[in-house]
Amino acid sequence: MSLSYDVFIAEPIPLNVRERVPNGDERRFSPLSITLVYGDRDAVLVDPPLTRNQADDVARWVEATGKNLTHIFATHGHGDHWFTASLLAERFDAQVVASAGTIEEMRRNVAIRPQFWDALLPGQIPDAPVTATVPDGNRINLEGHELRIVEVGHSDTDETSVLHVPDLDLVVAGDVIYNGVHQYLVESKDGGVDAWRKAIDIVEGLRPRFIVTGHKNKDLDDDAQRAIAETRRYLDTVDELLPRHETARGFFDAMLERFPALLNPGAIWSGALALRPEKTP
């Protein structure tokens, strides 16, 4: 029996934010990658999406495969990677799993939900109790194949993990690696960028051929070496450009000039405001 994987891309959705991005773009959420790793009968879903409508689309996608969904895994605690987990788990009678650190971050995201997540997407997010448990040995068994939860520390948030599927030379990397989308830098102060680099090193050490990233341009492939190199280059550019610019707008403009093809400039604007808050007009 062999394994395969497929990816569903949830398209960017508008945020409940009046102000536009400085380049004129509407504020939107980045595209979300939802991964299905499957065998002959069973399947594991990685990083369920954020809203009810997205969950309905993903559920229909899973149902069309005819596979029996046994587990739903969240790579990290940001709500866009798990807030619909319980909804989908009930629909498919699946078990929600995560690392111990991710579960703590899930609870933190529930605590900030009223002022953050629900403010951005009012009325669109379902009830999201933290029902995840830690599987024995941080392992998921899929028809005799071992899927390994690898904890990597801080990436674009704390207590991140990835799912390593050795039989596919695949890592489902959550937000450790990005692919054609501006990276989320809001939690990158106080050594966060260096910690993120260490997480990338751990992923690279797994020697994957393919990486599915949590935020992906759907027109790009899953080549691991390219995605790793581009994610590193983005962080290196942050370290290069941030000291040169005293305002959020200056840093934003410089990053946008350096990476004009990446999706969702709103993400880098949020990061700029976090990294240069006191000097923003």
Side-chain angles (χ1 to χ4, degrees):
M1 295 181 292
S2 61
L3 298 182
S4 300
Y5 81 95
D6 200 0
V7 181
F8 180 95
I9 303 297
E11 297 290 346
I13 53 178
L15 300 178
N16 183 41
V17 178
R18 181 176 300 176
E19 297 81 7
R20 287 182 171 264
V21 186
N23 70 334
D25 283 6
E26 182 182 31
R27 296 297 293 270
R28 287 180 171 267
F29 214 92
S30 291
L32 300 174
S33 306
I34 299 92
T35 305
L36 193 72
V37 182
Y38 58 91
D40 291 340
R41 305 174 310 277
D42 298 336
V44 173
L45 187 75
V46 185
D47 283 350
L50 178 56
T51 70
R52 292 185 188 89
N53 288 343
Q54 290 172 336
D56 286 342
D57 291 341
V58 168
R60 288 190 290 269
W61 172 65
V62 172
E63 288 168 347
T65 69
K67 304 298 181 182
N68 172 45
L69 189 64
T70 62
H71 294 80
I72 297 172
F73 169 66
T75 57
H76 62 287
H78 280 161
D80 54 310
H81 295 265
W82 74 272
F83 270 162
T84 60
S86 292
L87 190 68
L88 291 167
E90 183 176 355
R91 183 163 178 165
F92 290 101
D93 192 26
Q95 180 182 1
V96 182
V97 295
S99 70
T102 289
I103 291 171
E104 289 305 308
E105 287 298 302
M106 287 175 163
R107 296 190 177 107
R108 183 178 71 85
N109 276 263
V110 168
I112 67 171
R113 175 175 166 167
Q115 64 268 32
F116 183 74
W117 296 103
D118 289 321
L120 291 175
L121 296 163
Q124 298 183 55
I125 304 172
D127 290 339
V130 180
T131 60
T133 59
V134 181
D136 289 344
N138 269 357
R139 300 288 192 269
I140 302 170
N141 186 289
L142 177 57
E143 296 184 3
H145 300 268
E146 188 175 74
L147 280 55
R148 305 170 183 171
I149 300 172
V150 180
E151 298 177 77
V152 300
H154 182 90
S155 58
D156 73 354
T157 191
D158 291 335
E159 301 293 350
T160 298
S161 62
V162 302
L163 190 69
H164 183 208
V165 188
D167 291 332
L168 291 177
D169 292 326
L170 168 70
V171 169
V172 186
D175 289 357
V176 181
I177 310 295
Y178 276 64
N179 191 358
V181 181
H182 280 285
Q183 294 171 213
Y184 181 75
L185 300 171
V186 171
E187 300 177 47
S188 293
K189 293 183 288 187
D190 302 323
V193 170
D194 287 337
W196 195 337
R197 288 190 180 96
K198 293 177 182 177
I200 295 170
D201 290 343
I202 295 172
V203 170
E204 186 174 43
L206 299 173
R207 302 176 64 85
R209 288 182 58 209
F210 308 103
I211 288 179
V212 178
T213 65
H215 302 288
K216 173 187 174 181
N217 182 333
K218 64 183 179 181
D219 295 328
L220 298 178
D221 62 25
D222 297 328
D223 181 76
Q225 289 187 356
R226 178 186 56 78
I228 288 171
E230 291 175 358
T231 302
R232 280 202 180 107
R233 183 163 63 250
Y234 196 91
L235 296 179
D236 290 345
T237 304
V238 170
D239 279 349
E240 174 194 347
L241 296 180
L242 188 62
R244 299 182 185 177
H245 298 279
E246 296 184 351
T247 65
R249 180 61 189 269
F251 175 63
F252 169 83
D253 289 342
M255 289 293 290
L256 200 61
E257 182 179 7
R258 192 70 63 90
F259 298 101
L262 297 186
L263 300 181
N264 195 20
I268 188 58
W269 178 234
S270 295
L273 291 171
L275 295 171
R276 283 285 181 261
E278 73 285 354
K279 297 180 181 179
T280 303

